[in-house]
Every structure is written in C-alpha cells, then in structure tokens.
Amino acid sequence: MPTTHVLYLHGFRSSPQSTKARQMTAIMAEQFAHIEWWCPQLPPSPQAAAELIQSGTAGWPANRMAVMGSSLGGFYATWLAAQRDCKAVLLNPAIDPARDLSKYIGEQTSWHDPTERFYFAPEFVDELRALEVGPAPHPERLWALIAKGDEVLDWREMTARYPTSHQVLMEGGDHAISNFAHYLPQVLEFLNLQPAP
C-alpha cells in the first residue's frame, strides 16, 4: 500500500535543519507535495517528544504512514513503529540511548545553532528507558541504513538490534551519513511513495 504520511525524527542536539532532514524536505516538496510530511523540532524530554509524536500522528492511517529517524530519532522511530505497526526507515539508529546519553546530563548546545541551548535533565534517562521496546512485531516493515564508520554508535549493536529487517550496511561512512543522497532512491523505494494521481 502506498505511503501517504511521512514523519521525520531528528537526533540528539539536532533539528529539522540537519542535512538529511533538509534533503528529505526538499524531495517531498518537489516530487511528493500531495503526501503529508512532518519534520518537527523535538523537545529535549523524551517523554515530551513521545507525546508530541503521538499527538501529531494520532489521525494518521497506520497502514499508510511511515516514520524516518536518525540516531536518537531512530530510537523514537523504532518505538513508534512498534506502537503503530507502521513502516520505519532507521538511519544509524541509537540502540541504548539511556546508557549513551547519561553522560550528557547538563546544559547542551544545538548542533545547527550553537547559540541555542537546552538542559538535558537526569530524569530524561529514565524517560528513555520507558520508551524501550522489544523485537519489532513486523521486522519486514523496518529498513536500516547503518555506517560501519559511525564515530558515535557501534554498527555491530545496530545490526544486531534489527537482525531480520532489511539492512544496508555501508563500509566506512559516518554518523551523519554524509552521503545520504546516494541512498535516497532506496529510501524512496522502501517508502513506496507514489506520484500525484
């Protein structure tokens, strides 16, 4: 069934201004303007982020929606896919952010605007734990793009987390997936976006 609604979730300290998010926003505007596209700025609190995601997609049809997530956004996307049984594209997804982000408690700066600051509170680690889900109920609805050269996350953990889902494992690469444009055709094919009637 063609996808009619697409959600993009950015990573920790990131924003809708990330290169991948902007590339997707441009493609959706140019080629798929008839498809619902939402790329929100997520709040630092994982619980607040989850509530925003749930309320923003509450009216979306589960069998025709898809979520894309990068890094921490990939963790959120995995959670949403388990909730809604929808398709998910995971870009170097965070596997255990409660463990990894516990060392970032305190004031942080936004990656795309260093003048923008936010506080990562200790309770956010527990909020991340509350969003952990088990194996995907429908692993065939998940598509993961994983870089062996990711300097932030361990590619072995990422591949092990989604053992029966479709994975594209790139030699080298980086956490930001700087060559994301190269993989866009595969992403669009998996999402099954159809041109306007």
Side-chain angles (χ1 to χ4, degrees), residues 23-66:
Q23 284 174 317
M24 278 302 302
T25 298
I27 280 184
M28 296 304 291
E30 290 162 15
Q31 299 179 31
F32 304 104
H34 59 292
I35 289 172
E36 181 89 20
W37 167 253
W38 187 38
C39 181
Q41 176 68 55
L42 299 174
S45 157
Q47 183 180 326
E51 288 168 359
L52 174 70
I53 292 163
Q54 279 185 315
S55 63
T57 61
W60 289 16
N63 62 340
R64 294 202 306 277
M65 67 177 269

Side-chain angles (χ1 to χ4, degrees), residues 125-194:
V125 173
D126 290 327
E127 291 179 10
L128 285 167
R129 283 204 187 93
L131 296 174
E132 290 173 359
V133 294
H138 290 282
E140 74 280 1
R141 292 183 192 159
L142 305 185
W143 187 95
L145 179 58
I146 297 165
K148 282 190 174 181
D150 191 318
E151 68 281 10
V152 177
L153 302 171
D154 186 338
W155 66 270
R156 297 169 199 83
E157 270 197 341
M158 291 189 266
T159 54
R161 174 69 174 89
Y162 307 98
T164 57
S165 297
H166 183 77
Q167 297 182 10
V168 175
L169 187 59
M170 69 174 96
E171 295 294 333
D174 55 18
H175 184 63
I177 311 182
S178 301
N179 59 341
F180 180 60
H182 176 75
Y183 295 94
L184 268 171
Q186 293 180 61
V187 170
L188 297 175
E189 183 182 1
F190 174 78
L191 290 175
N192 192 19
L193 305 179
Q194 300 296 320

